[in-house]
Amino acid sequence: MALTPEDIVNKRFQSSKMLREGYDQDEVDDFLDEIVVEMRALIAERDSLRQRLEAAELRQGDTGEVVAPVAAAPVPAASVPATTGELVDEAQSSNSMLVLARRLHDEHVREGIEKRDSLIAEAHEKAEKILSDAETTANTQITKYNAIISELEAKATELREFESEYRSELRSYIEKQLSDLDAVTTVAE
């Protein structure tokens, strides 16, 4: 099946909901519109050339000379060729325009692929840098918090030792006071 301008105009693509780089949809649509206009012009020119060629072949006499096409044949603002050779030249010119359009299309696709690959590589580099920075920051914070934890554990150990000594001294003091109290009550009896 041959591709027609209507195929291009009516083609719809599903939109992607992925978070990724892509082509600007309006820019692609504008380019496709340009292709459609050019394709329609080329098809009209091709059809006109075919009609002119057929008319010239029908009028060709036994001598092999070509009679110029009638003025009613549709001609897209170009002069009417006088010979079959000129018709062939115009057809080749149309073909070369199609080849040029295809080459331009291929170049744009290649540039798009290169740009896509470049953007993807750049995004990967940024992602790696962000991950590296995050790991560095995390390691710094972990080291900082480990130092704080060590300080707090040392203070907790100090406080436990202080508590133990304080309890021991308090017990000794209370026992001494009880002992003194017992001595005072024994003497008083």
Side-chain angles (χ1 to χ4, degrees), residues 122-187:
E122 186 178 317
H124 283 296
E125 288 175 14
K126 283 183 181 178
E128 287 176 15
K129 184 178 183 333
I130 289 170
L131 285 174
S132 174
D133 291 347
E135 286 176 359
T136 302
T137 302
N139 288 338
T140 302
Q141 292 295 326
I142 288 171
T143 303
K144 178 182 169 184
Y145 291 135
N146 282 339
I148 291 171
I149 289 170
S150 295
E151 281 181 37
L152 291 174
E153 285 176 349
K155 284 184 181 180
T157 302
E158 272 181 44
L159 289 173
R160 283 189 199 104
E161 289 174 3
F162 175 76
E163 175 196 20
S164 178
E165 287 176 21
Y166 184 77
R167 283 179 183 253
S168 177
E169 288 177 13
L170 184 60
R171 179 173 286 126
S172 296
Y173 175 74
I174 291 173
E175 285 175 356
K176 183 178 179 295
Q177 291 296 322
L178 285 173
S179 157
D180 288 348
L181 185 63
D182 281 342
V184 169
T185 32
T186 314
V187 170

Side-chain angles (χ1 to χ4, degrees), residues 9-60:
V9 170
N10 294 328
K11 179 67 179 172
R12 295 291 174 249
F13 298 95
Q14 290 181 342
S15 62
S16 173
K17 294 189 171 54
M18 303 290 290
L19 297 176
R20 60 184 167 105
E21 293 289 329
Y23 295 104
D24 179 17
Q25 190 171 2
D26 292 334
E27 201 173 316
V28 172
D29 287 343
D30 292 344
F31 182 68
L32 289 175
D33 290 342
E34 290 176 27
I35 291 173
V36 168
V37 168
E38 189 64 30
M39 193 172 184
R40 284 181 177 154
L42 290 172
I43 289 171
E45 184 178 353
R46 180 200 63 197
D47 292 344
S48 170
L49 290 172
R50 276 189 187 152
Q51 289 175 357
R52 288 170 48 201
L53 181 61
E54 289 171 4
E57 287 173 351
L58 288 176
R59 290 184 178 83
Q60 187 174 19

Side-chain angles (χ1 to χ4, degrees), residues 55-79:
E57 287 173 351
L58 288 176
R59 290 184 178 83
Q60 187 174 19
D62 292 338
T63 59
E65 84 181 53
V66 177
V67 178
V70 290
V75 178
S79 62

